[in-house]
Amino acid sequence: MTAAAIAADVRAKRRSARDVTVEALARIRARNAELNAFTGVFERRALERAEKIDALVAQDRDPGPLAGVPFAAKNLFDVAGFVTRAGAKVTAGDPPAARDADAVAAWEGSGAVLVGVTNMDEFAYGFVTENAHDGPTRNPHDAERIAGGSSGGSAAAVGAELVPLALASDTNGSIRVPAALCGIFGIRPTYGRLSRRGAYPFVESLDTIGPLARTAADLRLSYASLDPHFRPPAVPFTPRCARLGGYFDSGLLPEARRAVDTVCTALGATTVIELAHAREAREAAFLITAAEGGALHLDRLRSRAGEYDPATRDRLIAGALTPSAWYLRAQRFAAVFRAEMARTFATHDVLIAPVTPYPATLIGQKTIEIDGLSTEIRPNLGIFTQPITLAGCPVVSVPVVVRGALPLGVQLIGPAGSESLLLAVAEQLEAHGAVGAGAVPVVA
Amino acid sequence: MTHDAAVAAQVDAAAALLALPLEAERRAAVVAAMTRLAAFAADLAALDLGADVPGAGEPLP
């Protein structure tokens, strides 16, 4: 059931928020052992919250546009009274959060009900959610495969229909990659657009937070509750769309290219353009991530490095040791690249590119063969999302789900502040049947 | 000094300066990660970014 339908039922007194919450908790109990999407479930808090929603409805007061909608939050969002682990063991002894993260508070202020927190790559540094402490999250479409990362638990929870919405974060692609691999919608907003207060930091220059949803309408509804400045597009118009070629059309499997074909055909996008420095943009994002992430963890790495996930630790240490000249060069290039992107958006409204070069790979798989070459999976899952990260642009990831095949995602990229346009384009694509979450097979 | 040796020397020197213990079994993985960063840094260093800082003459948003 969609978030919009649940909220409509609760507001109209056709269902109680408590019943909706009890059902969501039951689904989590039934499926989480298999999926490993949730690392914490807050049953008492959720039921108390749901009862407050029902009390408001009983008084004919409106709880808000997300009335009674159960949601999950990546476990880097503060939840009052609970320790924010951010997928790590080294944080387990930290004091509990004093207050909810702004995003959690915004959704609950709109009537939604937090039911639990979800698995992730440690400190959001990864694309696979194969967490050394909490285990791997499994893909709802094939339990032997990864859910993507770093917001893999949130994406699997939504993809498996345990909850209709989840909060996630995206530094280099951590909303877009798991959304694509789990066959759902996600949005990385313009850098700086949404409050990150109460979200465990990773890379200050690149971090964003945003929602995951199973439908484009739910993505818009949930995004609107996070962004006080959100307004639907005032006048319907046909956006000028172009496909990103060159860098974004190499090093990917044919099915990933076909997913982009599907979206381009639906949008009538026949123009192909290239971003001159896409490869360098990815490299700069990589450097900035390592340096800022490493600096953030330096104190703990000195004394407690052994408690980190090895997949995270060694890259953080290398980042902490990076010469400042490399970091500053990457930041200087970022300013140049943002100016190049702004010039591109003078003549285009939406740029179209794949999210990942391939669908979900097997848990534990290290390499994949593309064009006859063996390629490392972990760093390259974000090869198409990282350059866009550097530009700070908003991106909606839309799912292309073909029967009998694993899901893939396509990026709809717009200029800064164009969230409402991108969300409207996603809804248009879904209405035309070009994209959509589709049915999730029941995994054994 | 070869490039590989320079990367390893950077890792050792910076780790010592930052008082970051680097156990022997961890060092190889860190050097491998630093080697990748060095390659990316070299690509960015080779670009002509011009003399102007984009946006330098514009008011803050």
Side-chain angles (χ1 to χ4, degrees):
Chain A
M1 197 169 190
T2 67
I6 290 170
D9 278 359
V10 169
R11 289 166 116 177
K13 302 181 184 175
R14 288 189 292 267
R15 296 178 76 195
S16 73
R18 192 178 200 287
D19 285 351
V20 173
T21 303
V22 166
E23 288 167 17
L25 292 168
R27 285 195 299 274
I28 294 165
R29 271 197 299 275
R31 300 284 308 277
N32 197 50
E34 155 210 339
L35 293 166
N36 196 29
F38 283 83
T39 53
V41 178
F42 308 137
E43 184 163 337
R44 199 170 107 186
R45 174 186 159 122
L47 291 172
E48 286 175 0
R49 174 77 193 146
E51 285 161 8
K52 284 181 183 166
I53 300 296
D54 289 333
L56 286 175
V57 173
Q59 296 164 26
D60 290 325
R61 292 166 63 190
D62 186 0
L66 298 177
V69 175
F71 74 96
K74 187 175 182 175
N75 80 11
L76 56 63
F77 287 94
D78 283 351
V79 179
F82 296 90
V83 174
T84 307
R85 286 187 45 231
K89 180 177 156 190
V90 74
T91 50
D94 287 359
R99 51 176 279 188
D100 292 336
D102 279 1
V104 171
W107 272 6
E108 290 210 322
S110 297
V113 177
L114 176 69
V115 294
V117 289
T118 54
N119 200 10
M120 56 185 283
D121 289 288
E122 188 184 56
F123 294 118
Y125 204 177
F127 291 122
V128 291
T129 312
E130 293 185 66
N131 186 298
H133 317 298
D134 295 315
T137 291
R138 297 179 178 275
N139 193 302
H141 291 263
D142 181 341
E144 299 304 313
R145 294 179 184 271
I146 60 170
S150 65
S151 312
S154 284
V158 173
E161 300 185 68
L162 305 185
V163 286
L165 300 175
L167 283 172
S169 67
D170 188 314
T171 300
N172 282 297
S174 287
I175 286 176
R176 292 163 284 167
V177 169
L181 301 194
C182 290
I184 60 172
F185 293 84
I187 178 169
R188 173 193 165 91
T190 306
Y191 174 77
R193 180 93 172 189
L194 299 185
S195 170
R196 299 178 298 186
R197 185 183 299 160
Y200 202 99
F202 174 28
V203 182
E204 190 175 326
S205 298
L206 306 174
D207 287 346
T208 61
I209 63 112
L212 294 161
R214 281 184 58 79
T215 70
D218 276 1
L219 193 71
R220 172 179 45 78
L221 183 70
S222 59
Y223 177 78
S225 291
L226 295 172
D227 182 355
H229 304 294
F230 178 79
R231 299 285 180 278
V235 181
F237 78 108
T238 304
R240 300 165 298 173
C241 300
R243 179 180 193 145
L244 291 180
Y247 175 90
F248 292 93
D249 192 40
S250 62
L252 73 171
L253 292 181
E255 52 265 47
R257 187 175 288 116
R258 283 197 295 273
V260 180
D261 292 343
T262 299
V263 169
C264 288
T265 301
L267 291 175
T270 54
T271 305
V272 180
I273 64 166
E274 292 192 27
L275 298 181
H277 295 114
R279 179 172 64 89
E280 291 84 355
R282 187 240 180 176
E283 293 174 342
F286 218 104
L287 276 163
I288 292 167
T289 298
E292 291 192 22
L296 182 70
H297 288 275
L298 179 57
D299 285 344
R300 270 180 162 153
L301 286 169
R302 284 194 180 103
S303 55
R304 301 177 65 183
E307 296 174 57
Y308 278 66
D309 185 333
T312 307
R313 179 192 60 215
D314 302 327
R315 292 179 296 150
L316 287 175
I317 292 175
L321 305 179
T322 298
S324 61
W326 295 359
Y327 171 77
L328 293 170
R329 182 72 174 177
Q331 285 287 14
R332 181 153 160 66
F333 169 77
V336 172
F337 186 68
R338 280 193 288 272
E340 287 180 0
M341 287 293 282
R343 286 194 291 276
T344 302
F345 284 122
T347 48
H348 301 92
D349 301 305
V350 180
L351 304 177
I352 303 162
V355 175
T356 62
Y358 31 83
T361 49
L362 294 169
I363 290 170
Q365 186 179 343
K366 301 294 181 202
T367 59
I368 189 169
E369 190 167 304
I370 297 177
D371 297 335
L373 296 172
S374 179
T375 305
E376 275 187 274
I377 288 169
R378 281 177 182 247
N380 288 304
L381 268 167
I383 198 165
F384 299 135
T385 53
Q386 280 185 284
I388 310 306
T389 277
L390 195 74
C393 301
V395 189
V396 169
S397 174
V398 294
V400 176
V401 181
V402 177
R403 184 179 288 276
L406 291 163
L408 282 154
V410 175
Q411 297 184 89
L412 306 175
I413 307 156
S418 65
E419 283 83 356
S420 63
L421 168 68
L422 298 177
L423 289 163
V425 172
E427 285 191 78
Q428 181 190 337
L429 285 167
E430 187 181 40
H432 290 172
V435 308
V440 181
V442 176
V443 290
Chain B
M1 185 183 280
T2 65
H3 178 73
D4 288 352
V7 169
Q10 162 67 23
V11 166
D12 291 336
L17 198 59
L18 293 170
L20 185 57
L22 209 52
E23 294 163 18
E25 72 268 21
R26 204 166 289 157
R27 183 176 175 276
V30 173
V31 170
M34 185 67 88
T35 300
R36 187 194 296 266
L37 296 176
F40 291 169
D43 284 348
L44 294 176
L47 289 177
D48 177 6
L49 299 183
D52 292 338
V53 177
E58 298 165 13
L60 287 172

